[in-house]
Amino acid sequence: MVLALESSCDESAAAVLDARRGLLAHELFSQVDLHRLYGGVVPELASRDHVRRLLPLVRQALERAGVAPGELGGVAYTAGPGLVGALLTGAALARALAHGWGLPAIGVHHLEGHLLAPLLEDPAPSFPHLALLVSGGHTMLIEAHALGDYRLLGETRDDAAGEAFDKCAKLLGLPYPGGPQLAALAAAGRAGACPLPRPMLDRPGLEFSFSGLKTAVSLAIRAQPLDDQRRADIARGVQEAIVDVLCGKALRALDQTGLAALVVAGGVGANTSLRERLQRECAARGARVYFPRAEFCTDNAAMIALAGLMRLERGERSAPGLAVRARWPLAELRPPKREP
Ligand code: KG4
Ligand code: ZN
């Protein structure tokens, strides 16, 4: 059994995962109300709030799981990538608890957590599979061969898909965090009423680019008076463009690799339109698609618990010391290494 902490950005979370019984508890506190006033995450405020929230969340998770610290086999925490101050709060607490309880601690790569989140569901995907990782900071197509064995097939050259959702939402005057708000507004928009470019979809390869979408949206906003219908039409246009590109490239990657399973992970994976479209298109070509439940698409500690548990079970331990990394390329990850 592992206890896990997540504090890489603006959600504080704790979870308890049992290797046999599955997920026993997962607790989360979102800081969105704290950051909304500033239109984005303020790193120093995020760190200070993690300090306040994490320990009560740990207590709550253990209580809800009905687990005493003596029953745990390790403590996992997000060691990067993310906001360095925020990461340090979780790392310090996790390491202190592990030390006090005499348990091994393990630092987890946040994106490996996202990639493994679909494995918390039933049925769970098996390796190898294609992964579409779409979060606020990343847009990647990955050939996942095994735990820690990931080959990057293509990524974004500029903005991430979630960032594009957030920036276009801001242009439309929607409050932070924009992605889910834009998706909600898009439901009232008319299909095809505001056609926007599909960056790089017509080009071969598996790279993405989303920065041009902002410019196209600013032009669309200026082109006509903005009433409620027009705003919804633009939101719909943005969502259609992003979903089209993500879907087009993911299907191309399935064709190129010959893989028959697609795993979708990261915050944008919570988008209903993306889920429906991928489900339909994958079914049509006989491929299977796996998503985490929506609450495990966005940041959470359950996915960190799973990545930590899988690595601890295979004998990996993090070296002592408080090392977190703001930047940490996924390609640097390796399969678990046994402690010598
Ligand atoms: O994975 P995540 O929670 O945090 C990162 O590690 O980045 O992803 C957050 C991103 C944000 O850009 C947010 O706007 C986007 O995921 N997002 C969505 C939806 N829910 C979250 N984008 C579109 N539709 C949604 N329903
Ligand atoms: Zn994330």
Side-chain angles (χ1 to χ4, degrees), residues 157-221:
R157 295 188 175 173
D158 40 59
D159 292 351
E163 199 175 356
F165 265 107
D166 294 341
K167 287 180 176 170
C168 293
K170 207 168 195 173
L171 290 171
L172 285 169
L174 296 169
Y176 160 88
Q181 301 262 355
L182 186 141
L185 182 60
R190 294 165 298 182
C194 177
L196 293 167
R198 269 73 171 143
M200 305 197 40
L201 187 57
D202 54 350
R203 285 202 234 159
L206 299 172
E207 303 277 293
F208 301 87
S209 164
F210 289 108
S211 66
L213 212 48
K214 297 186 301 260
T215 320
V217 168
S218 337
L219 292 174
I221 288 173

Side-chain angles (χ1 to χ4, degrees), residues 4 10 35 103 107 138 157 217 241 264 285 297 313:
D10 59 346
H35 301 292
L103 295 173
H138 299 86
R157 295 188 175 173
V217 168
V264 184
R285 61 177 60 207
C297 283
E313 274 182 329

Side-chain angles (χ1 to χ4, degrees), residues 110 114 135-137 162-163 165-166 179-180 183 266-268 270-271 297-299:
H110 181 81
H114 276 302
S135 70
E163 199 175 356
F165 265 107
D166 294 341
V268 180
N271 186 274
C297 283
T298 47
D299 290 347

